[in-house]
Amino acid sequence: MNQRKIKQSFFIICLTIAGLMPFQPSFASKEVAPLFQNNSYFDYDIYWSFLKIGFARLSFHELEPINNTTERYEINISIKSNDLISAIYPVDNYIVSMLLKTDEGIKPLLYTKNSNESGKQTNSKVTFDYQLNQIVEEKNSIPQEPIKLTPEIQDPLSLILALCQNDFGANPIFKQNVSDGGQIVSILSSYLNKEAINTNLGEFQTQAIDIETKEIRGVFNKSHDAKVVLFLSDHSPSIPVKFMSKVRVGNFHAILSGGVYKGTQIKGIKKDSLERLSSSRERMK
């Protein structure tokens, strides 16, 4: 694998895991607090084909409220190459989304990305200014041209909350405006099917969600058969169990390898437990 393919692979993983996924949340009928308990996090192993190339951690935090009234939350994701890939093309990216809870639901307030790829450091800070009705980005401390803030906008990481809380049985197709400081894109997502996913933690029953990629920049719009699929557990809120993408430079996926959910270590159903359950069902017939 050359440096160009490694760079493209981590670009894809960053987009996918960081949440460039279109989901229109229905916050009026959903409780948001459970996902934001301190010490809730999900770990992932990242693969290019069968080669493990790195790791990621997605975590959720409650912050001190503003003036003791406005609730704030934070989503963090770190993405790092492993030792093998770091010898060729080291990657160490850290992304943070700060959110506000309002009467209209969760709104992004600040989105920052610190990227270190092969020794090249870049920093981005995106502010969602609801008074001026604009999105302002600074790249390496240099202000960019503001863009107009559209209704129901999300940053890439704030979509994780909507993704994990959405009722796909009632709303199988979604359209969401997304911006990471660049242009605002509207992407369609749709429910595919139920699927069992095997991990080192055991088996998880999931819902497969197809992500339309034609609005996503970079290597996706250069691949006529590009594909992104997410697999969400049947928990409520859901756990992202697996992310899978296919583009012209190869197949990539990230799969759940550990973490804490609502204060408890994440575990799937082990194979021997499945066999006992199946045997029990057969005896009951």
Side-chain angles (χ1 to χ4, degrees):
M1 182 190 292
N2 59 33
Q3 285 196 6
R4 179 170 172 270
K5 287 188 176 181
I6 295 171
K7 182 177 181 180
Q8 288 176 329
S9 70
F10 275 100
F11 170 80
I12 293 166
I13 292 297
C14 283
L15 280 179
T16 309
I17 299 182
L20 192 51
M21 310 155 188
F23 292 91
Q24 177 63 41
S26 177
F27 290 112
S29 60
K30 297 289 184 179
E31 176 61 45
V32 300
L35 195 58
F36 282 98
Q37 294 181 24
N38 286 327
N39 301 320
S40 291
Y41 64 89
F42 309 136
D43 288 334
Y44 299 91
D45 290 333
I46 303 171
Y47 293 85
W48 178 76
S49 188
F50 296 105
L51 177 66
K52 185 186 292 187
I53 61 174
F55 315 92
R57 169 170 287 191
L58 177 67
S59 60
F60 303 87
H61 309 275
E62 293 182 6
L63 302 177
E64 289 294 326
I66 300 175
N67 300 324
N68 296 319
T69 56
T70 305
E71 295 182 37
R72 297 187 304 160
Y73 306 103
E74 186 176 279
I75 306 175
N76 301 336
I77 187 167
S78 59
I79 302 173
K80 296 183 179 182
S81 53
N82 60 15
D83 291 342
L84 174 64
I85 300 302
S86 292
I88 306 170
Y89 190 89
V91 173
D92 188 356
N93 293 340
Y94 188 66
I95 306 171
V96 180
S97 174
M98 185 182 295
L99 313 172
L100 294 175
K101 182 182 178 184
T102 70
D103 293 338
E104 292 78 31
I106 295 295
K107 289 185 175 182
L109 180 64
L110 185 65
Y111 179 80
T112 61
K113 180 179 179 181
N114 297 316
S115 173
N116 190 339
E117 298 183 2
S118 194
K120 182 179 180 181
Q121 181 75 39
T122 57
N123 301 306
S124 174
K125 176 182 176 182
V126 180
T127 303
F128 293 80
D129 192 323
Y130 296 97
Q131 291 185 333
L132 296 179
N133 198 37
Q134 62 183 17
I135 302 172
V136 182
E137 181 181 17
E138 294 182 13
K139 289 184 177 180
N140 294 328
S141 301
I142 300 174
Q144 308 296 302
E145 188 69 24
I147 59 176
K148 185 177 180 180
L149 198 158
T150 60
E152 299 180 347
I153 191 73
Q154 297 289 350
D155 69 39
L157 276 185
S158 69
L159 287 173
I160 292 292
L161 179 60
L163 167 67
C164 295
Q165 292 182 325
N166 190 73
D167 182 357
F168 288 100
N171 304 290
I173 299 177
F174 298 89
K175 190 175 184 179
Q176 175 67 57
N177 292 330
V178 183
S179 178
D180 62 354
Q183 65 177 341
I184 296 174
V185 298
S186 182
I187 311 173
L188 219 63
S189 298
S190 57
Y191 169 80
L192 291 176
N193 54 263
K194 292 185 180 294
E195 187 166 335
I197 300 296
N198 289 306
T199 75
N200 289 335
L201 303 176
E203 183 178 278
F204 293 85
Q205 296 300 316
T206 71
Q207 293 179 318
I209 309 300
D210 178 68
I211 308 300
E212 191 175 87
T213 61
K214 66 180 182 180
E215 293 281 355
I216 303 178
R217 61 192 178 188
V219 70
F220 286 104
N221 59 28
K222 298 177 182 178
S223 303
H224 70 278
D225 60 345
K227 185 176 182 179
V228 173
V229 180
L230 298 109
F231 300 86
L232 305 178
S233 74
D234 56 6
H235 299 79
S236 180
S238 297
I239 297 172
V241 174
K242 183 178 180 180
F243 306 83
M244 183 178 70
S245 63
K246 176 186 176 183
V247 292
R248 63 189 179 90
V249 296
N251 298 325
F252 306 89
H253 70 273
I255 190 161
L256 188 69
S257 61
V260 170
Y261 176 82
K262 295 184 178 181
T264 303
Q265 291 288 331
I266 298 172
K267 294 181 180 179
I269 300 176
K270 296 297 183 180
K271 185 176 180 181
D272 57 348
S273 298
L274 289 172
E275 291 174 349
R276 288 197 299 269
L277 179 61
S278 177
S279 177
S280 177
R281 286 175 176 173
E282 287 297 323
R283 289 196 299 269
M284 294 174 63
K285 289 182 178 179

